[in-house]
């Protein structure tokens, strides 16, 4: 259910910014799945096992956490607050206008996803992808710190360079969180119906986790958008490809990947992303509901 206001409370609930930031920091525990997903999306000929070996070969356990510090932590602490704050306000307003919980969750997730993409995620997502895909530089003797890479891109391409692929990120986040929250709320409604509970009745922890797991798994239907985003931001493309557009857009990148790898290429990396989606949705929907309720009582 959407976040409820205390009796007499007016205006917006600012505490959701802090709750979202904290809960999204918890989601970074799933960084190994993020790295594997990105590795497979950037290297679409690799199987899950080959991608795991490649990542492990870049530093063992440390390889599984590439891009975590500082970019994933910066991204998580900022985008989580924006997402939960925006989504909760839209969701609450929707339910207040008589919209169903599933539709309110869909609209809240879409709005929150778009807001977080343009407000915080452009440069951090780009730099995370750079960190995961720039390993080929080291193979030819080029050694740069993550901040040197950041400044080199900024000097060469400016704001557009460090926000490369931000439109693809916005489409992904809109569909991501719209689907995750919408499907999760729909699953909660179905579980209530099965258990004979009303809309106002609360669900147990396991029921909420199950609902969020369903939402997180089903939301990976948009994997082609994620593969497009990785292709646009990747630094692993050290060899020229005559078919790869010089100036990448969402549409021509989609066409390039399809011509090169077919439908399978557009869904490369979906397996680790299912696991990541389930974990993130459990944190940002189920666990966040409990934290928001606790904050209200405090």
């Amino acid at each position: 259910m959407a976040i409820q206001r205390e009796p007499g409370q007016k205006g917006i609930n600012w505490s959701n910014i802090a709750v979202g930031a904290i809960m999204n920091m918890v989601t970074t525990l799933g960084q190994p799945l993020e790295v594997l997903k990105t590795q497979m999306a950037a290297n679409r000929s690799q199987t899950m096992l080959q991608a795991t070996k490649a990542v492990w070969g870049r530093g063992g356990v440390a390889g599984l956490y590439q891009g975590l510090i500082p970019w994933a932590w910066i991204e998580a602490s900022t985008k989580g607050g924006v997402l939960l704050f925006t989504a909760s306000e839209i969701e609450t307003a929707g339910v207040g206008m008589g919209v169903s919980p599933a539709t309110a969750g869909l609209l809240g997730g879409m709005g929150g996803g778009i807001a977080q993409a343009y407000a915080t995620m452009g440069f951090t997502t780009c730099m995370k992808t750079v960190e995961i895909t720039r390993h080929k530089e080291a193979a030819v003797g080029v050694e740069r710190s993550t901040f040197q890479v950041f400044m080199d891109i900024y000097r060469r391409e400016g704001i557009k360079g460090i926000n490369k692929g931000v439109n693809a990120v916005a489409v992904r986040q809109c569909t991501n969180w719209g689907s995750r929250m919408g499907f999760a709320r729909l699953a909660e409604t179905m579980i209530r119906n099965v258990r004979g509970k009303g809309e106002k009745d609360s669900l147990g922890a396991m029921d909420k986790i199950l609902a969020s797991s369903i939402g997180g798994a089903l939301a990976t239907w948009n994997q082609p958008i994620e593969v497009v985003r990785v292709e646009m931001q990747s630094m692993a493309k050290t060899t020229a490809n005559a078919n790869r557009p010089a100036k990448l857009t969402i549409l021509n990148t989609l066409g390039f990947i399809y011509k090169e790898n077919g439908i399978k290429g557009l869904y490369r990396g979906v397996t680790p992303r299912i696991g990541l989606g389930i974990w993130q949705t459990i944190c940002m929907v189920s666990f966040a509901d409990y934290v928001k309720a606790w904050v209200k009582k405090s």
Side-chain angles (χ1 to χ4, degrees), residues 28 31 65-74 128 131 146-147:
T28 61
Q31 183 68 7
Y65 286 90
Q66 274 184 305
L68 178 64
I69 303 171
W71 305 114
W73 279 1
I74 295 173
K128 272 199 315 180
E131 280 299 292
T146 186
F147 288 105

Side-chain angles (χ1 to χ4, degrees), residues 11 17 32 40 50 91 94 103 124 138 149 171 178 247 269 280-281 283:
I17 296 176
M40 293 179 72
Q50 289 171 333
E91 192 175 2
T103 303
T124 53
V149 173
V171 174
K247 187 174 182 180
Q280 290 179 337
T281 310
C283 288

Side-chain angles (χ1 to χ4, degrees), residues 105 186 220:
L186 179 61
T220 55

Side-chain angles (χ1 to χ4, degrees), residues 2-3 25-26 60 144 155 162 181 187 202 219 241-242 264 268:
I3 185 169
M25 284 294 287
V26 176
R144 295 187 292 172
R155 282 190 288 266
I162 59 175
M181 291 186 173
S202 62
N241 186 322
K264 286 185 177 181
R268 184 62 69 186

